[in-house]
Amino acid sequence: MPSPLSPSAFSRRGFLGLGTAAAAGLVLPGCAGDSGAASTGGQPRSGGRLRAAFSGGGAAEVLDPHQTNLYVEIARTKALFDKLAEYGSDMSPQPRLAESWEPSADLRTWRITLRQATFHDGRPVRPVDVLASFARIVEPGSARRAKSALSVIDLPASRAVGDRVIEFRLKRPYGEFPNALATLGAYIVPGGTPDLTKPVGSGPFTFRSFEPGRSFVVVRNDEYWDGAPYLDELQLLISNDEAARVNALLGKQVEYAHDLTPTSARTHEQSVQIHRLPLSNFHGLAMKVDRPPFNRPELRQALFHLVDREELIRSVLHGSGQPGNDLYGKNYKYYAGDLAQRGQDLDRAKALLKKAGAEGATIDFDTSDASTGLKEAALAISDQAKAIGLTLNVKLGNKDSYWADIAKSGVLASYRSGAMPLESHISQRLLTSSTTNNTQWRRPDFDKLYHDAQSTTDEQKRADLYRRMQQQLFDEGGFLWWGVSDWIVASAQNVRGVDEKAPANTLNWARFDKVWLA
Amino acid sequence: MTRYVVQRVLLGVVQVVLVMAGMFFLTEALPGDAAVTIAGDNPDPAVIAALREKLGLNESAWHRLVEWLANALHGDFGQSLVGPRSVTDLIATAAAPTVLLAGLTLALLVPLSVGLGVLAAHREGGRLDRIITSSTLGLYSAPEFAMAILLVTVFAVKLAWFPPTAVGTSLTSNPAVLVLPVFVLLLRPICSLSRLIRAGMVDAQRSEYVRHVRRAGLSPVRVRLAHALPNAVAPSVQQLARTVDWLVGGVIVIEAIFVVPGLGTALADAVAARDLPVIQGLAVVLAATTVLVNLTADVAARILAPAAEAGR
């Protein structure tokens, strides 16, 4: 499963991308506090049933909150369960079941206070439930997505301090530990052996029924700690075909359709509400910096100046997105937004190409249909490269094994990523120890900046360290993030409360407890 | 006759086993195993290794094939790799909608195409014949996905006469959702079958023995239906068998457009997830169906037109 987030992953199913990429999975966040521009209109009112169509994973789907991978699985899970924290719309962690967190001076012990919340069966959420949930996620042999993020916790040394306070001991200083608590799949289930066929969580809705690959029904939890949802009932339906989702919405079979193409959105914007969730998917190139030809920084810089970002937004993203500045995480917390925006500069690109000794070179360019737009971007960029006499030989790889293939081999690849905090992007992809380091960026000085950032409680100092890491990547990194696209969802005219600022997979995305029917 | 049937059944069993083994190695040859596919864009080597271990992919392909064939003989097709369900359970669930769609289509297809074919052959070259012949030819050339999208847009979204998809409802509790998919499924086979029947009827009506029974003074209706028709239908039976294969084989496009969770959808999901046991189980079901349907068609053709068969 690709990640769902991936737009397609099975693309059909959407998966998110996660770990790395994007598509697949997905990831994260939401913001709490300021819910962005929700589609407005009047006072919220209670009642009614909302049916939402997502792409899914077929008859093999499960309800295990620790196995979430597809967008629909995340939507289902967030209806039933909570995490200690969730990502806000700027990817900063927002407290959820954790009411507050407080690190020790050395950032290796974190004291988390739980809010007063109860599971659907009436039991309070207690530290033992949190510890048991995390133990289940990291148990040996598991491939659960949150495992790597939570493995920083020294679980045997962590303990409950009273009814609502947990003390986590970490294996290393980690100033942004709440990011790990908000990571995809880090949901809190009741301790003991959870019965996942009739899931009991602490989320805004309680479980009613589930047919894998078909339908999922939940009803309002009046006791929800964050306020009872407006909807009486929520039904998530599966339709892997985008045209079918749109037809179901137009035919009034559903009130919400997830993941539309820009073309459908434009065609139907008169009859339904179109919500373009910004900053949801990053599109780029990955150049392997440890081998020829991209071990010459001049060649990487030549590509930085070659790419016509505006044209890619128009042709690949169909205008539904914004240009990137070669850095991941546009407008997220700690993003270096003050760096001058790069644009196409063919003279400079040519000069750099010459300096790299790569004039007239031919370079293989890997791409595939693993996620929407990868192939189109590769073809467009290879076309742009002709202007400086560089031949990028586009090779279409297998879509099912693409992410694993480009991790191992090749030198230049189309890339994409779902939303995640800068910290996760760096720790998963850019450290010497990162397991999906697809640009082979291994720099001890860069690693040190990251570890220093995680070892300081001084917010200003941390922001400054992030700025330095990004400057280094901007100058000579292996990723070229040329654009960031919107995630498009549509709803019927009477649906209110859909947050239009929340990137896919953040707190306010698919947050049906705040949606109401006018 | 008995000998013929026994031979055909044995041949069918061999065919099914060959398909099973063939599918196994073809799936094996796909790039990326289930572990790589499940890991998706998070190809952390440790995650992939853990998945391989859990899915039993470390065993050799031969080992897994033999084990699987042995279990399959007992009707056990194993567990899905990506979910908690057994393959048998999964296929049974997915088969219900497909069987319903295919059954309904067949139930309408046979009388409709026979009727149209007989009508067209009534006066060869007449006005009715020309209308039926040209419209069936025209409809036959429209691919079903294009037809489906057109019909959904007009009859479901614009006119709202029928539901556009089966999302959120079941085929049995809300039969209106069946109308458009069955209609699309009918269109092309009706064209091919009715044309075959027309041709068969035209030939039969010109034949020596039909002229003979006509001279014997039987009524024209009786001549057509009792004597000409069975001979005309015999060649169409094989075509009908092929249509059944096509219907049961998932009608993947139709299932996707109308969101019907049938065998086609299950197969597409399983291939994408490299869910080997499910793919293999579905291959067995589809191969067995094909063999069974063709066997039945051959036997039926013999019974309908023993003379034609003997003449071969």
Side-chain angles (χ1 to χ4, degrees):
Chain A
M1 320 202 154
S3 343
L5 311 194
S6 17
S8 40
F10 280 4
S11 190
R12 61 194 260 63
R13 330 130 147 317
F15 295 103
L16 307 186
L18 298 299
T20 331
L26 357 101
V27 172
L28 342 165
C31 57
D34 57 331
S35 336
S39 49
T40 48
Q43 276 295 309
R45 63 178 270 283
S46 282
R49 177 176 67 144
L50 182 113
R51 294 164 298 178
F54 284 74
S55 54
E61 290 175 356
V62 291
L63 281 178
D64 187 339
H66 298 150
Q67 305 276 26
T68 50
N69 227 357
L70 305 177
Y71 282 113
V72 67
E73 291 173 324
I74 296 170
R76 273 203 285 260
T77 306
K78 71 158 44 167
L80 291 174
F81 298 93
D82 285 309
K83 294 188 252 181
L84 293 182
E86 277 267 27
Y87 295 116
S89 295
D90 67 348
M91 293 295 143
S92 63
Q94 307 290 325
R96 299 295 291 161
L97 274 184
E99 191 171 69
S100 64
W101 43 67
E102 205 184 316
S104 62
D106 67 355
L107 297 170
R108 292 183 62 142
T109 304
W110 285 73
R111 184 176 269 255
I112 309 264
T113 305
L114 298 179
R115 71 176 71 243
Q116 212 123 33
T118 54
F119 287 112
H120 301 152
D121 59 6
R123 282 181 289 166
V125 177
R126 292 168 312 146
V128 58
D129 301 310
V130 174
L131 293 168
S133 298
F134 287 3
R136 180 171 189 265
I137 291 168
V138 303
E139 72 191 1
S142 101
R144 300 186 173 110
R145 216 178 250 270
K147 185 177 180 176
S148 61
L150 295 180
S151 63
V152 67
I153 303 173
D154 181 358
L155 271 181
S158 303
R159 63 199 175 94
V161 195
D163 278 352
R164 283 170 49 208
V165 179
I166 314 164
E167 213 174 77
F168 285 113
R169 283 289 298 163
L170 307 188
K171 295 171 184 165
R172 58 179 169 83
Y174 188 13
E176 291 181 273
F177 176 58
N179 281 346
L181 303 178
T183 205
L184 182 64
Y187 291 94
I188 306 306
V189 299
T193 312
D195 174 6
L196 297 171
T197 55
K198 284 201 77 177
V200 167
S202 60
F205 294 94
T206 59
F207 180 73
R208 175 62 65 78
S209 70
F210 176 55
E211 287 172 78
R214 293 274 284 145
S215 161
F216 169 79
V217 180
V218 289
V219 296
R220 172 182 21 219
N221 170 14
D222 285 316
E223 310 300 318
Y224 190 48
W225 59 265
D226 199 12
Y230 301 114
L231 299 170
D232 292 338
E233 196 174 290
L234 168 68
Q235 183 174 25
L236 302 186
L237 295 159
I238 302 297
S239 165
N240 290 331
D241 185 65
E242 193 255 356
R245 286 196 295 279
V246 173
N247 285 334
L249 179 64
L250 296 171
K252 303 195 166 38
Q253 292 184 306
V254 299
E255 287 77 35
Y256 182 101
H258 189 245
D259 190 9
L260 264 58
T261 63
T263 316
S264 298
R266 263 202 307 277
T267 310
H268 301 293
E269 61 194 354
Q270 301 300 323
S271 36
V272 296
Q273 302 182 79
I274 301 292
H275 313 281
R276 296 169 193 275
L277 315 180
L279 311 178
S280 290
N281 268 309
F282 291 83
H283 303 262
L285 300 180
M287 305 175 268
K288 288 208 170 48
V289 306
D290 68 333
R291 63 197 70 172
F294 289 107
N295 55 350
R296 297 289 305 257
E298 295 87 358
L299 183 59
R300 307 199 290 271
Q301 289 156 359
L303 259 59
F304 286 151
H305 290 98
L306 159 73
V307 172
D308 183 346
R309 295 162 183 79
E310 297 292 346
E311 192 207 332
L312 293 172
I313 305 291
R314 276 196 309 274
S315 62
V316 179
L317 305 184
H318 304 278
S320 197
Q322 310 165 26
N325 198 23
D326 302 337
L327 291 174
Y328 180 82
K330 184 166 182 168
N331 294 356
Y332 290 171
K333 193 174 181 190
Y334 301 125
Y335 176 74
D338 55 333
L339 292 168
Q341 173 68 47
R342 275 194 186 123
Q344 190 181 43
D345 183 342
L346 292 177
D347 292 338
R348 199 148 164 207
K350 243 183 249 172
L352 285 160
L353 192 66
K354 188 168 175 191
K355 217 166 147 198
E359 284 174 294
T362 298
I363 300 169
D364 282 344
F365 188 173
D366 291 313
T367 190
S368 82
D369 288 319
S371 129
T372 322
L374 288 178
K375 184 176 68 184
E376 292 79 1
L379 292 170
I381 291 167
S382 123
D383 204 43
Q384 293 172 1
K386 288 180 190 151
I388 58 167
L390 182 65
T391 308
L392 298 181
N393 178 27
V394 175
K395 292 171 66 178
L396 192 65
N398 182 274
K399 72 180 172 58
D400 298 305
S401 56
Y402 181 69
W403 302 111
D405 293 342
I406 62 164
K408 285 197 295 265
S409 49
V411 292
L412 173 65
S414 285
Y415 212 71
R416 69 171 293 217
S417 171
M420 62 177 73
L422 276 181
E423 183 269 320
S424 306
H425 167 66
I426 291 170
S427 65
Q428 292 182 16
R429 302 169 178 154
L430 294 163
L431 300 182
T432 302
S433 57
S434 298
T435 47
T436 49
N437 191 334
N438 289 342
T439 58
Q440 305 297 320
W441 175 262
R442 297 177 205 279
R443 305 279 165 108
D445 57 329
F446 184 88
D447 293 355
K448 182 164 186 316
L449 291 176
Y450 170 81
H451 291 297
D452 288 350
Q454 293 313 316
S455 310
T456 177
T457 45
D458 181 339
E459 189 61 24
Q460 185 51 48
K461 188 174 171 209
R462 182 178 302 140
D464 186 54
L465 289 162
Y466 271 113
R467 179 73 172 63
R468 286 168 63 191
M469 285 182 257
Q470 291 178 87
Q471 181 76 54
Q472 201 178 341
L473 294 169
F474 183 76
D475 292 339
E476 52 171 325
F479 279 121
L480 187 168
W481 297 103
W482 54 260
V484 48
S485 60
D486 303 331
W487 186 259
I488 306 178
V489 302
S491 65
Q493 300 289 9
N494 66 335
V495 173
R496 300 283 182 276
V498 175
D499 189 315
E500 302 200 324
K501 292 234 171 89
N505 196 30
T506 57
L507 171 61
N508 287 336
W509 160 85
R511 195 172 176 196
F512 295 108
D513 53 319
K514 296 297 177 203
V515 166
W516 78 95
L517 300 171
Chain B
M1 189 75 186
T2 314
R3 205 183 132 175
Y4 172 75
V5 173
V6 170
Q7 269 179 354
R8 292 296 323 264
V9 168
L10 288 179
L11 180 65
V13 170
V14 173
Q15 284 170 329
V16 171
V17 173
L18 284 179
V19 169
M20 288 163 80
M23 273 305 291
F24 185 91
F25 286 107
L26 281 177
T27 325
E28 205 57 36
L30 285 174
D33 59 16
V36 168
T37 313
I38 293 170
D41 61 354
N42 182 22
D44 178 343
V47 170
I48 292 178
L51 282 167
R52 274 207 181 108
E53 174 80 40
K54 196 174 125 210
L55 301 177
L57 295 173
N58 293 329
E59 302 282 355
S60 79
W62 283 109
H63 179 94
R64 281 180 287 128
L65 173 64
V66 170
E67 195 173 40
W68 175 70
L69 280 174
N71 288 331
L73 287 179
H74 298 101
D76 172 12
F77 292 106
Q79 293 287 317
S80 160
L81 293 185
V82 296
R85 306 175 66 198
S86 80
V87 175
T88 316
D89 179 31
L90 221 143
I91 292 178
T93 314
T98 302
V99 168
L100 178 63
L101 270 183
L104 207 58
T105 307
L106 269 185
L108 293 167
L109 173 65
V110 173
L112 284 174
S113 45
V114 169
L116 272 180
V118 171
L119 267 182
H122 185 54
R123 291 229 193 293
E124 193 192 346
R127 198 200 292 179
L128 191 60
D129 185 21
R130 274 181 285 132
I131 294 175
I132 294 177
T133 303
S134 54
S135 49
T136 50
L137 202 62
L139 279 177
Y140 190 73
S141 17
E144 49 274 350
F145 72 87
M147 204 47 113
I149 290 170
L150 196 74
L151 292 172
V152 167
T153 308
V154 175
F155 293 104
V157 174
K158 291 259 183 291
L159 297 173
W161 289 358
F162 304 107
T165 72
V167 152
T169 121
S170 82
L171 301 184
T172 41
S173 69
N174 185 7
V177 305
L178 289 165
V179 176
L180 288 176
V182 167
F183 190 68
V184 175
L185 288 176
L186 272 174
L187 280 178
R188 291 185 79 188
I190 262 196
C191 298
S192 52
L193 271 182
S194 65
R195 291 178 54 75
L196 270 174
I197 292 194
R198 176 192 168 277
M201 282 297 280
V202 168
D203 282 350
Q205 280 170 356
R206 283 187 196 142
S207 73
E208 201 47 53
Y209 81 92
V210 164
R211 254 179 299 188
H212 175 76
V213 289
R214 205 176 277 147
R215 276 194 300 270
L218 289 184
S219 77
V221 172
R222 192 126 178 246
V223 170
R224 263 202 295 278
L225 298 186
H227 295 275
L229 187 58
N231 277 284
V233 162
S236 317
V237 171
Q238 263 101 354
Q239 173 69 19
L240 186 65
R242 247 164 275 145
T243 307
V244 176
D245 287 351
W246 175 76
L247 284 170
V248 177
V251 195
I252 296 185
V253 174
I254 297 304
E255 290 189 359
I257 292 176
F258 292 101
V259 198
V260 175
L263 292 175
T265 307
L267 184 59
D269 288 345
V271 170
R274 291 287 183 283
D275 198 344
L276 207 56
V278 176
I279 298 174
Q280 289 160 342
L282 283 165
V284 175
V285 169
L286 298 182
T289 309
T290 304
V291 167
L292 190 70
V293 165
N294 282 293
L295 178 67
T296 314
D298 288 351
V299 173
R302 273 210 168 202
I303 294 171
L304 282 167
E309 201 59 44
R312 265 185 206 172

